[in-house]
Amino acid sequence: MSAPSIGVVGAGAWGTALAQMLASDGREVMLWVLEPELADEINTRHTNSLFLPSAALAPTIRATSDLADTAGCELLLLVTPAQHLATTMGRMTTYPRDLVLCAKGIEASSGRMMHQVAAEAAPGSEIAVLSGPTFAHEVAAGLPTAVTLACGGGEAQWQRLATAIARPAFRPYYSDDLTGAEVGGAVKNVLAIACGVVEGLGLGQNARAALIARGYAEMQRFGEALGAQRATLAGLCGLGDLVLTCSSTSSRNFSLGVALGQGQDPKALMRERHTVAEGAHTAPILVELAQKHGVSMPIVESVGHLLEGAPALEVVSRILARPLTAEDQPSPLPERPAI
């Protein structure tokens, strides 16, 4: 059986890295690029100087700035930022049987998870979610990586996708829990901002370790309220991704938190960045959804305060002053104080 034709929609760092990984065995991969001049650079110089300058790209990656060119692909990986997924899919005229979602976030305008956005736009496709501890530059360099591949089409879809996506250094693990895979990726982005704040304030490794553990508890509570499986959140797309992005300045969300901890203005930081720190978009809607479902998420709420302009030390003092409780019991949902 011939390998399916594969396309990647979105040529940011992560989309470019995925295209590079998929082309590592000599396969032809189509890469949709928003900017025509960047598509030309990828095709002629085999570089992406804007988003992934460290990688020498495979010559079998063919870039295009015309979404219609993806119509012939049997499998598409959608890697546009979460807040632009609906718009991008709305511009597509046809969809393949298999769509793999690779962006991590929650649609800020609606509170929808990415698989809900995709299912509404492409009801005839089977949706999968690829998520896990993945720094783009390491995947592009061929370093060993393991991910969760949650398949809405169950094991039959997994059999199609695993053989198409797996490479010697890129190992997917099967799940059928789309919600769990997406909750892990979305919540960890917000928690990574919080861990960056700890770094920016110089609060030490003890504080960061505690924040990761307590943040993971928030992720579990929220995920279970939405129907996610606890085992999914304990895996690569939950705990694994959380540990990675809360520990390195290679994480855009972590580096945003560092800047916030150092007292920089959140609005100015967002204006100056050409790469997306998705946690900044996810935090406000995550706070709303947590309150809607009656889930206590004080760390996530604190990130929301920071992004609204609250001083970092004030926010940290507020969270340290919360009522004492058992480790496996969340504190009562607090009133949200005015900034």
Side-chain angles (χ1 to χ4, degrees):
M1 182 180 296
S2 62
S5 55
I6 297 181
V8 177
V9 176
W14 184 216
T16 303
L18 284 169
Q20 176 78 344
M21 178 273 295
L22 292 167
S24 63
D25 62 353
R27 183 175 313 196
E28 291 188 359
V29 178
M30 178 172 289
L31 177 61
W32 177 75
V33 185
L34 178 63
E35 305 87 351
E37 63 278 9
L38 182 56
D40 182 66
E41 177 191 332
I42 292 171
N43 288 330
T44 58
R45 295 168 51 193
H46 308 299
T47 58
N48 183 338
S49 59
L50 185 59
F51 296 110
L52 196 63
S54 63
L57 301 180
T60 53
I61 296 174
R62 182 168 75 86
T64 178
S65 57
D66 186 353
L67 265 176
D69 289 342
T70 65
C73 294
E74 300 172 58
L75 166 62
L76 280 180
L77 279 66
L78 301 180
V79 204
T80 56
Q83 307 309 319
H84 299 287
L85 179 63
T87 300
T88 302
M89 293 190 71
R91 294 173 54 196
M92 299 169 64
T93 56
T94 61
Y95 306 96
R97 180 180 182 182
D98 291 308
L99 290 172
V100 181
L101 309 181
C102 305
K104 300 171 182 177
I106 300 171
E107 191 175 58
S109 61
S110 68
R112 294 185 297 174
M113 307 299 290
M114 294 297 97
H115 73 272
Q116 295 170 324
V117 174
E120 181 174 321
S125 298
E126 292 188 352
I127 309 300
V129 172
L130 188 152
S131 187
T134 49
F135 282 153
H137 65 280
E138 293 192 7
V139 172
L143 297 177
T145 302
V147 296
T148 299
L149 183 59
C151 298
E155 293 188 10
Q157 186 183 30
W158 160 255
Q159 293 298 328
R160 295 194 302 272
L161 296 183
T163 54
I165 292 175
R167 296 292 183 275
F170 193 85
R171 182 178 178 84
Y173 283 82
Y174 171 68
S175 172
D176 61 2
D177 182 10
L178 297 180
T179 299
E182 291 210 286
V183 165
V187 176
K188 68 89 187 179
N189 280 337
V190 181
L191 298 174
I193 295 175
C195 281
V197 171
V198 168
E199 178 73 12
L201 287 171
L203 299 181
Q205 300 300 313
N206 293 348
R208 182 160 64 184
L211 192 149
I212 291 172
R214 298 308 301 154
Y216 177 55
E218 293 188 18
M219 178 190 291
Q220 285 186 312
R221 289 196 295 268
F222 181 74
E224 290 178 336
L226 269 62
Q229 301 167 19
R230 180 174 284 261
T232 306
L233 298 172
L236 292 162
C237 60
L239 182 59
D241 206 359
L242 178 65
V243 170
L244 180 70
T245 53
C246 288
S247 306
S248 172
T249 53
S250 293
S251 162
R252 291 168 296 197
N253 293 286
F254 183 87
S255 62
L256 173 62
V258 171
L260 291 173
Q262 293 171 343
Q264 297 186 47
D265 177 64
K267 292 181 180 179
L269 287 169
M270 296 302 292
R271 284 196 305 268
E272 293 166 0
R273 289 171 174 251
H274 73 272
T275 57
V276 178
E278 194 63 60
H281 299 292
T282 301
I285 189 63
L286 185 54
V287 170
E288 289 185 23
L289 290 173
Q291 293 174 343
K292 175 182 176 181
H293 290 278
V295 178
S296 175
M297 302 186 78
I299 297 172
V300 169
E301 286 195 356
S302 296
V303 173
H305 296 327
L306 287 164
L307 293 170
E308 292 171 351
L313 280 174
E314 177 185 315
V315 172
V316 170
S317 297
R318 188 183 301 155
I319 201 168
L320 289 174
R322 288 172 59 82
L324 300 177
T325 185
E327 188 172 9
D328 62 349
Q329 296 294 323
S331 300
L333 286 170
E335 292 290 333
R336 197 161 187 222
I339 299 299

